[in-house]
Amino acid sequence: MIKVAICGGSGYTGAELLRILSGHHGVEITTVTSEKSAGKKVTDLFPHLHKYSYLIYEPLDKKEILNKADVFFMALPHAASQEAVDYFFKKGKKVIDLSADYRLSDTAVYEEWYKTPHNYADTLRNAVYGLPEIHREEIKQSSLIANPGCYPTAAILGLYPSIKEGIIDVESIIIDAKSGTSGAGRKADIGFSYCEVNEGFKAYGIVSHRHTPEIEQELSAIAGRGIKINFTPHLVPMDRGIISTMYAKMLKKVETAEVISIYKKYYDAEPFVNVLNEGVYPNAKNVRGSNFVEIGLKVNNRTNTLIIVSAIDNLVKGASGQAVQNMNIIMGIKETTALESLAVFP
Amino acid sequence: MIKVAICGGSGYTGAELLRILSGHHGVEITTVTSEKSAGKKVTDLFPHLHKYSYLIYEPLDKKEILNKADVFFMALPHAASQEAVDYFFKKGKKVIDLSADYRLSDTAVYEEWYKTPHNYADTLRNAVYGLPEIHREEIKQSSLIANPGCYPTAAILGLYPSIKEGIIDVESIIIDAKSGTSGAGRKADIGFSYCEVNEGFKAYGIVSHRHTPEIEQELSAIAGRGIKINFTPHLVPMDRGIISTMYAKMLKKVETAEVISIYKKYYDAEPFVNVLNEGVYPNAKNVRGSNFVEIGLKVNNRTNTLIIVSAIDNLVKGASGQAVQNMNIIMGIKETTALESLAVFP
Amino acid sequence: MIKVAICGGSGYTGAELLRILSGHHGVEITTVTSEKSAGKKVTDLFPHLHKYSYLIYEPLDKKEILNKADVFFMALPHAASQEAVDYFFKKGKKVIDLSADYRLSDTAVYEEWYKTPHNYADTLRNAVYGLPEIHREEIKQSSLIANPGCYPTAAILGLYPSIKEGIIDVESIIIDAKSGTSGAGRKADIGFSYCEVNEGFKAYGIVSHRHTPEIEQELSAIAGRGIKINFTPHLVPMDRGIISTMYAKMLKKVETAEVISIYKKYYDAEPFVNVLNEGVYPNAKNVRGSNFVEIGLKVNNRTNTLIIVSAIDNLVKGASGQAVQNMNIIMGIKETTALESLAVFP
Amino acid sequence: MIKVAICGGSGYTGAELLRILSGHHGVEITTVTSEKSAGKKVTDLFPHLHKYSYLIYEPLDKKEILNKADVFFMALPHAASQEAVDYFFKKGKKVIDLSADYRLSDTAVYEEWYKTPHNYADTLRNAVYGLPEIHREEIKQSSLIANPGCYPTAAILGLYPSIKEGIIDVESIIIDAKSGTSGAGRKADIGFSYCEVNEGFKAYGIVSHRHTPEIEQELSAIAGRGIKINFTPHLVPMDRGIISTMYAKMLKKVETAEVISIYKKYYDAEPFVNVLNEGVYPNAKNVRGSNFVEIGLKVNNRTNTLIIVSAIDNLVKGASGQAVQNMNIIMGIKETTALESLAVFP
């Protein structure tokens, strides 16, 4: 039985970890922390988690909880995560960090985009970017997983084979992404209130969104050269889901069918990635509540452009599901454990 | 390994059976029928069911599929179900009928409300109304389960202890129910198109909804006398979920806390029914995608009225989840198998 | 040109006043107040109000703004409204109060339900309950209008003819009401955030909602005797709209057609009330963005119950539209001015 | 009093024409046609249009209705519109065609994309593309207006100043557009049913959408050379609204502030186009139900790309509102008549 602690368990990613792990028979949740909700029951905030009626939020007292768990899921806000991750990692624990604090390998880039210092460069060097489809072997060896951001997961998985195969001009990549509202987290904010989001649609964070350098880091590593991208996120009036529509000039003349065939070769052994047939495109609804990824492809012969569309559930494959996938890998359990549920449709 | 056939698998309840059963390791789906979609893959209609890439809809040829399965889930339209249920039942199969055809024990009542004859009165006598919380023992003995309607499930579970304990005047029951749109099924109909439903809210079928006699039959059986109810369904702009708000005059002076305590006594051993504490009320969102039921209670001392609110997911506890629960019971499997997933929230 | 001040203009009812009055050619907005947003432009909060690019929120300095306007719309929170209303009224201004402070004629009832003292009983005696369909003549004579609550508007208009004609037993009234989310106002509150409201449905404030005594006061006045009601509000995942489904035992045997005919007699001269034909029921979507009311009726002969369904837009007929209607009446302008727009559908 | 006929009045654009024209005091609707709904009242289909209780759909008998109207709005499906437009135009009527039949000046392009012959090339030569912000002077002189498509309206208005000023490389344009569901029209189609659209998000018609050549035609005319674009539409779970996010490589080094200043110069005299300040971006919700356009701009200095975001209501500025704007222009009425309503928010 793996003992699990969730640090920062009062947000949506924390709650989603609890939901997913409720189907994981090899796991026991021993601790859930929250500063704001300390003393409250998990079920006070999340009645749907009634199986955890015994769990009470406690403040994050690192020493106090150190020996309660083998695996620490860190679902703290950015910056707040740095020190706690460092602590548990150095104490020899397995740490899966859902914040952005250990995703960017260059602290200067982190500091530029997150406007806060990174004080744990040494620990950072031990972190592995937890996208199993690309880094599975390194994840297996690691005790510190930087769980990818939601937008980066959708974008990188969509672009990976095309870049790797030299199909597209990496200078020309445009990522037009759309996310359900849970991506903003659980918070009291007029901008995310029902009446402001519903029946609306808007772009936000144009040019400035913090997932930009994370995507660039990973795409650059795939390409073997520095890449800068255009990334525009949008807010969709739905709870969950990301659709990422990506455009890049083609370097070779390749037909849609062939691109699909290349992608299938890359992903057919992957348990969570479905490359769709020609003429079929992803829908956020098809992956809602699940750890699956849909990828659709189309060549625009008129403009010599490849259009890639990917879909994930931002809270599952884009956060907590991928975190559990990473846990399964580092603990040597079957990778798909507790993650096989199909999407809830409709 | 239980072999399962789904007759009428191209609608939402059929798809939901497939979704739920994908997590049931003791079950193998051998056949899915659909007249309209015969020849198509299940995944053509429902890409989220990608685990069933091998399943192709076939026409319902009773003889052809008779020996392919031990359990037959019938998700056919009303009236269309009668004969097929009769056939498989008489051939000794276990039959779980999700239509209304075997719910009403009195064929005259069926014919009055459904405007079509019932030609299988003999088989009807063998049907058990599949609400496990009330009829579990009879279900265990039966091979023909009439799976309850979605509104009746929410209403009956909400009213059962109050009627049984003589707390309320059964002449005064008002059931004001609200359902997500999937309750209408999967169909091309302007009235259920996105733009007509979204940002709207309306009552429909006032006085005339066919779930009325089903609720009355079951409440009458509980009360030991004939009951007539007011039942008004409403359409909610959401995919899934039923909230039933019920009102009845109280026969006794009982405080809210005591009513809750009575309900907890009735339902504490039930794996799927959660009676909420005072001041907490059900939310359709808390049960979405799950087989759970929430019940909230409040006494209005100013008017001497008991207000009962219940919530279910109409496609799960209100249809396919309950059907699987019934299958587990009649097959002697652990009743909660494949049904323990918590709600997908948000 | 009528000069108009809006006190408390940073919420949805304030914004809706501005939207409606933008089509009122006899009106000039001279002042909009807000404590929190003082110094900001109206268009900073509400870009859709771009015609008011010149308007800047200012703090509510009563002396300062007294001479700027002839009519004062008060869209302040409950309790906060009391003193300001008293001030402008005593200075001889026309005051239309959208808060609840001057709706309940009995200060004891106000204090019981709003848990705050009422310090202006003398001014209160001058207030007229601003439901034109019932109190038009008194409104004409008044300078202080207590603009009705949203739920009360829907409920009272739906029940008025039935009570007046003695069709129903006033002891048996049940009001099951459902409101869009804008009814909760514009605020930072997790409970009204998109992800908590969307795809959910719930009852709230059961037995305790503050619109209860307001409805009871008006229905009692119609009936000529004290009435207590059951009132249960619910939150609907939509922006705007109230549907009120009401039930009452019938005192007489009357058919649906006759009840409809009675209602048409009551409302046919009313510019904003549409009584629907038999078999047609209201939809919140049919009145969205408009000042219109839909009323549908059905007799349940099986239970001898009258079912009344009414629909309004909570921000228009349930708040700001009705306030403008009242302004038109007290200023002697054509009552429908700026209120004739049809609903935005879909 | 202008007499107006609406041919094809049972869809959303027809209903929206009626809604908008209900506020146009110089207009009388004399005829509304529909083949499918002939004999029905307009209010049977659209209860919100209760002011038109006298209007009954009639079949489109061209001779019969010829003399009933001065202006003919044609809201027929593509191809079906060709002949009727030709007929009324040749009889000397003013015709505003909301279909695509007279938008593409090259019949070969029309036939390639719409897969149907164009039999009225001579009449087509008289058609003016009805985008007043660009073609106002020609519209004034014309009797046959090809009312622009919804996506083209949003895209062309967003790109016009940038192309005209030579700021962007016209070879590099990417238009990633997102539309509310009413853009698909009013129809019985499972793909547009509530449960399939809600809580989903998807791209469709990638590379193949018929608005592509329309956008290309107009952008080419602005640029003075042939342009091919990437255009990807997406379906948003909301009723109304289009957001178009556009990307193009910059030919000059220009800062965001300067681009905004150029756009303001182009559009400041335009009554319906609002260019937003730096850091503020359009939201479909801000224009819902109105004829207004929002445009936001941002230069990505890291990639030397201009990002343009535009928002319209697809049924108003993207269809019926623009059609009324065109009618006002050709009839010499004030252009903004009946179109000044602000958006319904929230």
Side-chain angles (χ1 to χ4, degrees):
Chain A
M1 189 67 75
I2 303 166
K3 288 187 181 162
V4 161
I6 298 173
C7 297
S10 64
Y12 290 140
T13 52
E16 191 70 352
L17 280 167
L18 289 166
R19 180 180 77 85
I20 293 166
L21 292 172
S22 77
H24 200 307
H25 302 302
V27 156
E28 181 192 358
I29 313 287
T30 58
T31 305
V32 181
T33 82
S34 167
E35 307 311 302
K36 275 193 202 161
S37 299
K40 289 192 185 166
K41 291 180 174 183
V42 164
T43 52
D44 289 344
L45 273 73
F46 299 109
H48 73 294
L49 298 177
H50 45 79
K51 282 192 186 168
Y52 296 101
S53 55
Y54 59 92
L55 275 182
I56 292 170
Y57 290 113
E58 53 183 306
L60 173 47
D61 180 328
K62 295 192 292 289
K63 277 190 195 165
E64 176 72 25
I65 67 173
L66 176 63
N67 294 318
K68 291 194 184 168
D70 313 306
V71 176
F72 287 77
F73 287 101
M74 311 302 290
L76 300 169
H78 308 316
S81 197
Q82 280 184 35
E83 191 204 351
V85 166
D86 175 76
Y87 177 85
F88 294 117
F89 173 72
K90 286 190 175 149
K91 293 291 187 187
K93 300 294 183 180
K94 310 284 190 190
V95 184
I96 297 165
D97 184 21
L98 285 85
S99 89
D101 284 353
Y102 289 83
R103 291 179 196 155
L104 298 172
S105 56
D106 182 339
T107 55
V109 174
Y110 176 87
E111 292 173 357
E112 181 193 341
W113 288 84
Y114 287 87
K115 313 290 181 206
T116 192
H118 200 302
N119 302 316
Y120 302 89
D122 55 334
T123 296
L124 177 57
R125 272 188 291 275
N126 294 283
V128 169
Y129 190 74
L131 198 54
E133 290 77 6
I134 299 182
H135 299 293
R136 185 173 285 112
E137 292 312 310
E138 300 146 82
I139 294 167
K140 279 184 189 166
Q141 314 301 326
S142 177
S143 292
L144 173 47
I145 305 301
N147 207 60
C150 51
Y151 286 124
T153 296
I156 298 162
L157 291 176
L159 288 160
Y160 174 46
S162 289
I163 296 176
K164 196 76 179 173
E165 294 294 314
I167 296 170
I168 57 171
D169 175 5
V170 295
E171 301 287 323
S172 70
I173 295 172
I174 285 169
I175 300 170
D176 191 282
K178 302 89 176 172
S179 175
T181 309
S182 61
R186 182 171 183 271
K187 59 185 170 193
D189 181 329
I190 286 178
F192 294 100
S193 68
Y194 184 83
C195 288
E196 305 281 320
V197 171
N198 183 48
E199 290 296 288
F201 188 91
K202 64 171 182 181
Y204 68 96
I206 303 183
V207 177
S208 65
H209 194 283
R210 290 163 168 182
H211 284 171
T212 307
E214 184 180 336
I215 298 169
E216 289 179 346
Q217 167 183 293
E218 293 299 307
L219 298 188
S220 298
I222 296 164
R225 53 183 280 208
I227 292 180
K228 295 224 179 310
I229 54 156
N230 282 291
F231 169 59
T232 308
H234 300 76
L235 187 67
V236 187
M238 62 181 182
D239 283 349
R240 293 163 173 251
I242 285 178
I243 288 280
S244 194
T245 311
M246 295 168 277
Y247 304 85
K249 287 283 170 196
M250 301 188 74
L251 294 176
K252 310 180 185 174
K253 176 88 187 145
V254 192
E255 292 302 319
T256 300
E258 195 183 339
V259 179
I260 289 174
S261 150
I262 291 165
Y263 270 67
K264 289 202 167 174
K265 212 159 48 189
Y266 268 77
Y267 288 131
D268 264 6
E270 285 300 332
F272 296 116
V273 183
N274 295 323
V275 178
L276 305 180
N277 290 334
E278 190 162 355
V280 183
Y281 299 111
N283 188 334
K285 190 151 196 161
N286 293 342
V287 296
R288 189 168 57 161
S290 85
N291 202 50
F292 294 96
V293 183
E294 284 192 344
I295 298 177
L297 298 146
K298 181 74 179 176
V299 173
N300 187 345
N301 289 315
R302 302 174 75 246
T303 61
N304 197 33
T305 305
L306 177 62
I307 298 145
I308 307 163
V309 187
S310 62
I312 62 167
D313 181 320
N314 57 298
L315 290 181
V316 189
K317 185 61 178 170
S320 305
Q322 187 144 266
V324 171
Q325 188 179 353
N326 281 314
M327 181 195 77
N328 289 339
I329 295 172
I330 63 179
M331 300 306 285
I333 307 170
K334 191 182 169 213
E335 190 173 328
T336 57
T337 307
L339 296 169
E340 299 193 87
S341 298
L342 297 174
V344 174
F345 177 100
Chain B
M1 188 67 74
I2 303 167
K3 288 187 183 161
V4 161
I6 298 175
C7 297
S10 64
Y12 290 142
T13 53
E16 191 71 352
L17 280 167
L18 289 166
R19 180 180 78 85
I20 293 167
L21 291 172
S22 78
H24 200 306
H25 301 302
V27 156
E28 182 192 357
I29 313 288
T30 58
T31 305
V32 181
T33 82
S34 168
E35 308 310 303
K36 273 192 203 162
S37 299
K40 288 191 187 169
K41 291 179 173 184
V42 163
T43 52
D44 290 343
L45 274 72
F46 299 110
H48 73 293
L49 297 177
H50 46 80
K51 281 190 187 171
Y52 296 101
S53 55
Y54 59 91
L55 275 181
I56 292 170
Y57 291 113
E58 52 183 305
L60 174 46
D61 180 328
K62 296 193 290 290
K63 277 192 193 164
E64 176 72 25
I65 67 173
L66 176 63
N67 294 318
K68 290 193 183 170
D70 313 306
V71 176
F72 287 76
F73 287 102
M74 311 302 289
L76 299 170
H78 308 318
S81 198
Q82 280 184 35
E83 190 204 351
V85 165
D86 175 76
Y87 176 86
F88 294 117
F89 174 72
K90 286 190 175 150
K91 294 290 186 186
K93 300 295 181 178
K94 310 283 189 189
V95 184
I96 297 166
D97 183 22
L98 286 85
S99 89
D101 284 351
Y102 289 83
R103 293 180 195 154
L104 297 172
S105 56
D106 183 339
T107 55
V109 174
Y110 176 87
E111 291 172 359
E112 179 194 343
W113 287 83
Y114 287 86
K115 314 290 181 206
T116 192
H118 200 302
N119 301 316
Y120 302 88
D122 54 335
T123 297
L124 178 58
R125 273 188 290 276
N126 294 283
V128 169
Y129 191 74
L131 198 56
E133 291 76 7
I134 299 183
H135 299 293
R136 185 174 285 112
E137 293 311 310
E138 300 147 81
I139 294 167
K140 278 183 191 167
Q141 314 302 326
S142 177
S143 292
L144 173 47
I145 305 301
N147 207 60
C150 50
Y151 285 123
T153 296
I156 298 163
L157 291 176
L159 288 160
Y160 173 46
S162 288
I163 295 175
K164 196 78 180 171
E165 294 294 313
I167 294 170
I168 57 172
D169 174 3
V170 294
E171 301 287 324
S172 71
I173 295 172
I174 285 169
I175 300 170
D176 191 283
K178 301 88 175 173
S179 174
T181 309
S182 60
R186 183 171 182 270
K187 58 186 171 191
D189 180 330
I190 286 178
F192 294 100
S193 68
Y194 184 84
C195 286
E196 305 281 320
V197 172
N198 183 47
E199 291 295 287
F201 189 91
K202 63 172 184 181
Y204 67 96
I206 304 183
V207 176
S208 64
H209 194 284
R210 290 166 168 179
H211 284 170
T212 306
E214 184 179 335
I215 298 170
E216 289 179 347
Q217 167 182 294
E218 293 298 308
L219 298 188
S220 296
I222 296 165
R225 53 184 280 214
I227 292 180
K228 294 223 179 308
I229 54 157
N230 281 292
F231 169 59
T232 308
H234 300 74
L235 187 68
V236 186
M238 61 182 183
D239 283 349
R240 291 164 174 252
I242 285 177
I243 288 281
S244 194
T245 312
M246 295 167 277
Y247 303 85
K249 286 286 170 197
M250 301 188 74
L251 295 176
K252 312 180 183 174
K253 176 89 186 144
V254 192
E255 291 302 321
T256 300
E258 197 182 336
V259 179
I260 289 174
S261 149
I262 291 166
Y263 270 66
K264 290 203 167 175
K265 213 160 44 189
Y266 268 76
Y267 287 131
D268 264 7
E270 285 300 332
F272 296 115
V273 183
N274 294 323
V275 178
L276 305 181
N277 290 333
E278 189 161 355
V280 183
Y281 299 112
N283 188 333
K285 190 153 195 160
N286 293 342
V287 296
R288 189 170 55 162
S290 85
N291 201 50
F292 294 97
V293 183
E294 285 192 344
I295 297 177
L297 297 145
K298 181 74 179 175
V299 172
N300 187 344
N301 289 315
R302 301 174 76 247
T303 60
N304 197 32
T305 305
L306 176 61
I307 298 143
I308 306 163
V309 187
S310 62
I312 62 167
D313 181 320
N314 56 299
L315 289 182
V316 189
K317 185 61 177 170
S320 306
Q322 187 144 268
V324 172
Q325 189 179 353
N326 281 315
M327 180 195 76
N328 289 339
I329 295 173
I330 61 178
M331 301 305 287
I333 307 171
K334 191 182 170 210
E335 187 173 331
T336 57
T337 307
L339 296 170
E340 301 193 86
S341 298
L342 297 174
V344 174
F345 176 101
Chain C
M1 189 67 75
I2 303 166
K3 288 186 182 163
V4 161
I6 298 173
C7 297
S10 64
Y12 289 141
T13 52
E16 191 70 353
L17 281 167
L18 289 166
R19 180 180 78 85
I20 293 167
L21 291 172
S22 78
H24 200 306
H25 302 301
V27 157
E28 181 192 358
I29 313 288
T30 58
T31 305
V32 182
T33 82
S34 167
E35 307 310 302
K36 275 193 202 162
S37 299
K40 288 191 186 167
K41 291 180 175 184
V42 164
T43 52
D44 289 343
L45 275 73
F46 300 109
H48 73 292
L49 298 177
H50 45 80
K51 281 191 186 169
Y52 295 101
S53 55
Y54 59 91
L55 275 181
I56 292 170
Y57 290 112
E58 53 183 305
L60 173 46
D61 180 328
K62 295 192 293 289
K63 276 191 193 164
E64 177 72 26
I65 68 172
L66 176 64
N67 294 318
K68 289 193 183 171
D70 313 305
V71 176
F72 287 76
F73 287 101
M74 311 301 290
L76 299 170
H78 308 318
S81 197
Q82 280 184 35
E83 191 204 351
V85 166
D86 176 75
Y87 177 86
F88 294 117
F89 174 72
K90 285 189 175 151
K91 293 292 188 185
K93 300 294 182 179
K94 309 285 191 190
V95 184
I96 297 165
D97 184 20
L98 284 85
S99 90
D101 284 353
Y102 289 84
R103 292 179 196 155
L104 298 172
S105 56
D106 182 340
T107 56
V109 174
Y110 176 87
E111 292 173 357
E112 180 193 341
W113 288 82
Y114 287 87
K115 314 290 181 205
T116 191
H118 200 302
N119 302 315
Y120 302 90
D122 55 333
T123 297
L124 178 58
R125 272 187 290 276
N126 295 282
V128 169
Y129 190 75
L131 197 54
E133 290 77 6
I134 299 182
H135 299 293
R136 185 173 285 113
E137 291 311 310
E138 301 146 81
I139 294 167
K140 278 183 190 166
Q141 313 301 326
S142 178
S143 292
L144 173 47
I145 306 300
N147 207 60
C150 50
Y151 286 123
T153 296
I156 298 163
L157 291 176
L159 288 159
Y160 174 46
S162 288
I163 296 176
K164 197 76 180 174
E165 294 294 314
I167 295 171
I168 57 171
D169 175 4
V170 295
E171 301 288 323
S172 69
I173 295 171
I174 284 170
I175 300 169
D176 191 282
K178 302 87 176 174
S179 174
T181 309
S182 62
R186 183 172 182 271
K187 59 185 170 193
D189 181 330
I190 286 178
F192 294 101
S193 68
Y194 184 83
C195 287
E196 305 281 321
V197 171
N198 183 48
E199 291 295 290
F201 189 91
K202 64 172 183 181
Y204 68 96
I206 304 183
V207 177
S208 64
H209 194 283
R210 289 164 169 179
H211 284 171
T212 306
E214 184 179 336
I215 298 169
E216 289 179 346
Q217 167 182 291
E218 293 299 309
L219 297 189
S220 297
I222 296 165
R225 54 184 280 210
I227 293 180
K228 295 226 179 305
I229 54 158
N230 281 292
F231 170 58
T232 308
H234 300 75
L235 187 67
V236 186
M238 62 181 183
D239 283 349
R240 292 163 173 251
I242 285 178
I243 288 279
S244 194
T245 312
M246 296 167 276
Y247 304 84
K249 287 284 170 195
M250 301 189 73
L251 295 176
K252 313 181 183 173
K253 176 89 186 142
V254 191
E255 291 302 320
T256 300
E258 196 182 338
V259 179
I260 289 174
S261 147
I262 291 166
Y263 270 66
K264 289 202 167 176
K265 210 160 48 189
Y266 267 76
Y267 287 131
D268 264 8
E270 285 301 331
F272 295 115
V273 183
N274 295 323
V275 178
L276 305 181
N277 291 333
E278 190 163 355
V280 183
Y281 299 111
N283 188 334
K285 190 152 196 161
N286 293 341
V287 296
R288 188 168 57 161
S290 85
N291 202 50
F292 294 97
V293 183
E294 283 192 344
I295 298 177
L297 298 146
K298 181 74 179 176
V299 173
N300 186 345
N301 289 315
R302 302 174 75 246
T303 61
N304 197 32
T305 304
L306 177 60
I307 298 145
I308 307 164
V309 187
S310 62
I312 62 168
D313 181 320
N314 56 299
L315 289 181
V316 189
K317 184 61 177 172
S320 306
Q322 187 145 265
V324 172
Q325 189 179 354
N326 280 314
M327 180 195 77
N328 289 339
I329 295 172
I330 62 178
M331 300 306 286
I333 307 170
K334 191 183 170 210
E335 190 173 329
T336 57
T337 307
L339 296 169
E340 300 192 86
S341 297
L342 297 175
V344 174
F345 176 100
Chain D
M1 190 66 75
I2 303 167
K3 289 186 182 162
V4 162
I6 297 174
C7 297
S10 63
Y12 290 141
T13 53
E16 191 71 352
L17 280 167
L18 289 166
R19 180 181 78 85
I20 293 167
L21 291 172
S22 77
H24 199 306
H25 302 302
V27 156
E28 181 192 358
I29 313 288
T30 57
T31 305
V32 182
T33 80
S34 168
E35 308 310 303
K36 274 194 205 163
S37 299
K40 289 190 185 167
K41 290 180 175 185
V42 163
T43 52
D44 289 343
L45 274 72
F46 299 109
H48 74 293
L49 298 177
H50 46 79
K51 281 191 187 170
Y52 295 102
S53 56
Y54 58 92
L55 274 181
I56 292 170
Y57 290 112
E58 52 183 305
L60 174 47
D61 180 328
K62 296 192 291 290
K63 276 191 194 165
E64 176 72 26
I65 67 174
L66 176 65
N67 294 317
K68 290 194 182 169
D70 313 305
V71 177
F72 287 77
F73 287 102
M74 311 302 290
L76 299 170
H78 307 318
S81 198
Q82 281 185 35
E83 190 204 351
V85 166
D86 174 77
Y87 177 86
F88 293 117
F89 174 72
K90 286 190 174 150
K91 293 291 187 185
K93 300 295 180 179
K94 310 284 190 189
V95 183
I96 297 166
D97 183 21
L98 286 85
S99 88
D101 284 353
Y102 289 83
R103 292 179 196 155
L104 298 173
S105 56
D106 183 339
T107 54
V109 174
Y110 175 87
E111 291 173 359
E112 179 193 342
W113 288 82
Y114 288 87
K115 314 290 180 206
T116 190
H118 200 303
N119 302 315
Y120 302 89
D122 55 334
T123 298
L124 177 58
R125 271 188 290 275
N126 294 283
V128 170
Y129 191 75
L131 197 55
E133 290 77 7
I134 299 182
H135 300 293
R136 185 173 286 112
E137 292 312 309
E138 300 147 80
I139 294 167
K140 277 183 192 168
Q141 313 302 326
S142 177
S143 292
L144 172 47
I145 306 299
N147 207 60
C150 50
Y151 285 123
T153 296
I156 298 163
L157 292 176
L159 289 160
Y160 173 47
S162 288
I163 295 176
K164 196 77 180 172
E165 295 293 313
I167 295 170
I168 57 171
D169 175 4
V170 295
E171 301 288 323
S172 70
I173 296 171
I174 285 169
I175 300 169
D176 191 283
K178 301 89 176 174
S179 175
T181 308
S182 61
R186 183 171 182 271
K187 59 185 170 193
D189 181 329
I190 286 178
F192 294 99
S193 68
Y194 184 82
C195 287
E196 305 281 320
V197 171
N198 184 47
E199 291 295 288
F201 188 90
K202 64 172 183 180
Y204 68 96
I206 305 182
V207 177
S208 64
H209 194 283
R210 290 166 168 178
H211 284 171
T212 306
E214 183 179 337
I215 298 170
E216 289 180 348
Q217 167 182 293
E218 293 300 307
L219 297 188
S220 298
I222 297 164
R225 52 182 281 210
I227 293 179
K228 295 224 179 308
I229 54 158
N230 281 291
F231 169 59
T232 309
H234 299 75
L235 187 68
V236 186
M238 62 182 184
D239 283 349
R240 291 164 174 251
I242 285 178
I243 288 280
S244 194
T245 311
M246 294 167 277
Y247 304 84
K249 286 285 169 195
M250 301 188 74
L251 295 176
K252 311 179 183 174
K253 175 89 187 145
V254 192
E255 292 302 319
T256 300
E258 196 183 336
V259 180
I260 289 174
S261 149
I262 290 165
Y263 270 66
K264 290 202 167 175
K265 213 160 45 188
Y266 268 77
Y267 288 130
D268 265 7
E270 285 300 332
F272 296 115
V273 183
N274 294 323
V275 178
L276 305 180
N277 290 333
E278 190 162 355
V280 184
Y281 299 111
N283 188 334
K285 191 152 194 161
N286 293 341
V287 296
R288 189 170 54 163
S290 85
N291 202 50
F292 294 97
V293 183
E294 284 192 343
I295 298 176
L297 297 145
K298 181 74 178 178
V299 173
N300 187 345
N301 289 316
R302 302 173 77 247
T303 60
N304 197 33
T305 305
L306 177 61
I307 298 144
I308 307 163
V309 188
S310 62
I312 62 168
D313 181 319
N314 57 297
L315 290 181
V316 189
K317 185 61 178 172
S320 306
Q322 187 144 267
V324 171
Q325 188 179 354
N326 281 315
M327 180 195 77
N328 289 338
I329 295 172
I330 62 178
M331 300 306 286
I333 307 170
K334 192 182 168 211
E335 189 173 329
T336 57
T337 307
L339 296 170
E340 299 192 87
S341 298
L342 297 174
V344 174
F345 176 101

